[in-house]
Amino acid sequence: MEKSPDLHIKLADLHLNNPLILASGVMGTSPALLQRMALSGAGAVTSKSCGPEKREGHPNPVLVEWEHGLLNAIGLTNPGAAEEVALLIQAKEILAPLEVPLFASIFAGTIDEFGRVASVIADADPDLIEVNISCPNVHDDYGLPFAADSKSAAAVTRIVKASVGDIPIAVKLAPNVPNIGLIAQAVEAAGADAITAVNTMPGMVIDADAAHPVLYNKTGGISGPALKPIALRCVAEIATHVNIPIIGTGGVLTGQDAIEMILAGATAVGVGSALWYRGPDVFSIILEELRAFMKVHKIQNIQEIIGKALQN
Ligand SMILES: Cc1cc2nc3c(=O)[nH]c(=O)nc-3n(C[C@H](O)[C@H](O)[C@H](O)COP(=O)(O)O)c2cc1C
């Protein structure tokens, strides 16, 4: 009988049953919803980014679908680190029997604050901490993202790494920089165990009849199909600059999209907007598509094809 393709991956000393990871922010931090994603087949799940204090986020409208993707400016709505820890502890308990690792996403406004949030969140003992230095929707409150510059990105990486004991960290980069490879290199040298690439791309949707931007925040972050070629290029560039694994994120809606991301150099694949387009069972759907593709192309083990598109 034909063997089923092997989808297991290793990411920063963690073993995942498959490379698909729920991207941060799309399902919040509700333990029940994270469990739902795990039951649907996610290899790991990431919580919504959490900061030092409770934030209400931006007024509505905060999300719009347009021809080629989504545009959102949620504004990092979250309950604050102290309350988040309780949710993460519950989520970890629920996910443990399913053998699905929990990644906890954090953000902050200053380098020291990143250290403080990281050490509070480490109390929940997540399997990995994802450091969001790249949210495009909070310039008014926080100024330029730390992901805009190698030195700031490395400084955040160092302080988070020093604040979380032996919990591995992934640093999440922004697509709208001219030198993402060099930023990734700086983050690796500062101690990151993995890189998540990418966050959303700044954009705007205008309603011509109303003569006004659709989002209350006016600008937002583009995700979904329009982001895929941008994310693929970022992943491919990062892959030539670092040796740590990459979680390729941006516009993955199908099994074939996930294959493209891995061929570009990603070890794992973030799945976010696909939940909007294909519903809550999206992980099992993409997994089936991945297996079918691997059978047709005689790929035994998904790790065989990491970075293969750029090897010749
Ligand atoms: C509604 C929404 C909320 C998001 N919130 C966060 C967040 O809190 N933290 C973060 O790092 N990324 C956040 N993101 C970005 C996603 O994690 C992901 O990087 C991006 O959407 C690209 O992947 P996709 O095209 O698969 O959605 C959010 C994206 C969306 C659509």
Side-chain angles (χ1 to χ4, degrees):
M1 208 176 73
E2 205 185 349
K3 255 181 43 189
S4 186
D6 186 354
L7 285 166
H8 290 86
I9 60 148
K10 193 166 164 272
L11 182 88
D13 280 344
L14 299 169
H15 291 274
L16 272 57
N17 291 327
N18 70 68
L20 305 182
I21 300 178
L22 172 69
S24 176
V26 187
M27 273 288 147
T29 306
S30 146
L33 289 178
L34 295 178
Q35 179 191 38
R36 170 82 173 85
M37 296 301 105
L39 288 170
S40 151
V45 293
T46 314
S47 57
K48 167 90 187 154
S49 296
C50 159
E53 310 291 344
K54 182 183 166 89
R55 271 179 69 92
E56 296 295 344
H58 295 311
N60 283 322
V62 292
L63 189 142
V64 56
E65 182 181 348
W66 54 289
E67 296 94 306
H68 307 293
L70 305 179
L71 183 79
N72 91 81
I74 310 285
L76 293 173
T77 310
N78 82 98
E83 246 186 71
E84 179 88 352
V85 168
L87 285 173
L88 291 171
I89 289 171
Q90 269 182 51
K92 191 155 176 203
E93 259 174 44
I94 292 183
L95 293 168
L98 304 172
E99 293 180 357
V100 173
L102 172 64
F103 295 0
S105 172
I106 61 165
F107 75 92
T110 66
I111 289 168
D112 286 346
E113 212 171 65
F114 261 107
R116 284 196 292 277
V117 175
S119 83
V120 173
I121 293 301
D123 286 346
D125 197 24
D127 297 287
L128 178 143
I129 292 182
E130 186 172 84
V131 191
N132 175 8
I133 56 170
S134 46
C135 182
N137 302 323
V138 288
H139 284 199
D140 290 350
D141 296 342
Y142 296 114
L144 264 191
F146 293 95
D149 150 271
S150 297
K151 279 201 182 123
S152 319
V156 172
T157 306
R158 262 193 300 277
I159 199 160
V160 171
K161 192 69 190 160
S163 309
V164 299
D166 53 11
I167 300 173
I169 71 167
V171 177
K172 186 163 182 180
L173 300 185
N176 49 323
V177 293
N179 54 350
I180 198 163
L182 295 178
I183 294 173
Q185 216 167 44
V187 158
E188 178 183 42
D193 301 282
I195 289 193
T196 305
V198 283
N199 212 315
T200 53
M201 178 83 188
M204 185 187 279
V205 171
I206 288 180
D207 183 318
D209 293 314
H212 201 271
V214 174
L215 297 187
Y216 176 91
N217 192 53
K218 298 193 177 72
T219 65
I222 296 169
S223 64
L227 190 59
K228 190 179 75 169
I230 296 170
L232 285 172
R233 190 206 69 89
C234 289
V235 167
E237 186 176 334
I238 294 167
T240 62
H241 283 75
V242 302
N243 293 311
I244 49 177
I246 305 167
I247 304 172
T249 306
V252 172
L253 264 53
T254 66
Q256 188 156 325
D257 294 334
I259 293 278
E260 290 169 21
M261 202 57 94
I262 296 168
L263 287 170
T267 295
V269 177
V271 175
S273 301
L275 275 146
W276 171 279
Y277 290 102
R278 304 189 80 189
D281 291 318
V282 67
F283 287 99
S284 55
I285 299 169
I286 298 181
L287 282 176
E288 265 323 296
E289 293 168 350
L290 264 182
R291 287 192 191 99
F293 186 97
M294 289 170 74
K295 278 189 185 155
V296 169
H297 292 268
K298 305 207 178 331
I299 303 163
Q300 297 291 324
N301 184 318
I302 194 73
Q303 299 184 95
E304 281 167 33
I305 64 161
I306 298 172
K308 211 171 164 195
L310 296 147
Q311 280 165 4
N312 41 40

